[in-house]
Amino acid sequence: MYDTFFYIAIAGTIVMSIMILASVMGIGDDGMETEMETDTDTDVDGDFSGNLLPSFSIKNLFSFLAMFGWVGMACLSYSLTPFLSITIATFSGVIFVILLNLLFVAIYKLAHTSPMSLNEAVDKKVTVYSRITKDVPGQVTVTLNGSLQTIMASSNKKTFQTGETVKVVSVNDTGLLVDSI
């Protein structure tokens, strides 16, 4: 039984590692991962917009097998019964697949955030990041959509030095138009 868990763990780990590496490098989007979704009719209350229940995929299968094998080996090495080892290994494999999918959903959301609207910055106080003159635009830092952004800014009236706090007056061709507070 130990050997079976070992071979499952090695095969799952090797294939899972290659697939995750390919995904990180952007290679896995050309049909390498095949997903099969089933259509069921169930009433469930809750928000599953984070894709908590993963669809069946080759990546999920090999991730499950890797965790199943390693946890099964660990359970047998602690002298647990084969039934208990298989049960714990199955549960661990499912939890691992769910956590791995949550990680990929979070990474996807980071990479595909909606474009920010510069109009949200109007009337906000911002900090000058690089010097702004009447002739040469600079940069300011502003929090938009919950993240700190560095945006081009210009001024029609005066020069602002790095670290100064200014107010966004409007949005223009170069980015933001700022003025004294």
Side-chain angles (χ1 to χ4, degrees), residues 14-47:
I14 290 171
V15 174
M16 180 190 71
S17 299
I18 291 169
M19 293 179 87
I20 289 176
L21 199 65
S23 291
V24 169
M25 294 186 332
I27 299 171
D29 295 335
D30 58 355
M32 186 171 143
E33 178 174 329
T34 305
E35 297 205 5
M36 177 180 71
E37 296 188 20
T38 58
D39 189 17
T40 58
D41 199 41
T42 308
D43 291 332
V44 177
D45 289 333
D47 180 19

Side-chain angles (χ1 to χ4, degrees), residues 31-125:
M32 186 171 143
E33 178 174 329
T34 305
E35 297 205 5
M36 177 180 71
E37 296 188 20
T38 58
D39 189 17
T40 58
D41 199 41
T42 308
D43 291 332
V44 177
D45 289 333
D47 180 19
F48 292 105
S49 59
N51 216 4
L52 180 63
L53 300 173
S55 60
F56 178 82
S57 71
I58 300 299
K59 187 186 301 177
N60 290 344
L61 174 66
F62 282 102
S63 299
F64 171 83
L65 291 175
M67 184 57 73
F68 175 83
W70 292 119
V71 171
M73 284 174 46
C75 289
L76 286 178
S77 68
Y78 281 103
S79 301
L80 297 178
T81 65
F83 176 76
L84 189 57
S85 297
I86 290 171
T87 303
I88 293 171
T90 302
F91 180 73
S92 298
V94 170
I95 296 297
F96 181 67
V97 168
I98 289 171
L99 291 176
L100 194 62
N101 277 293
L102 289 175
L103 176 69
F104 278 111
V105 166
I107 291 170
Y108 178 82
K109 285 181 180 179
L110 285 175
H112 297 88
T113 55
S114 61
M116 62 183 167
S117 171
L118 292 181
N119 291 326
E120 294 177 26
V122 175
D123 293 329
K124 281 190 173 186
K125 294 179 183 177

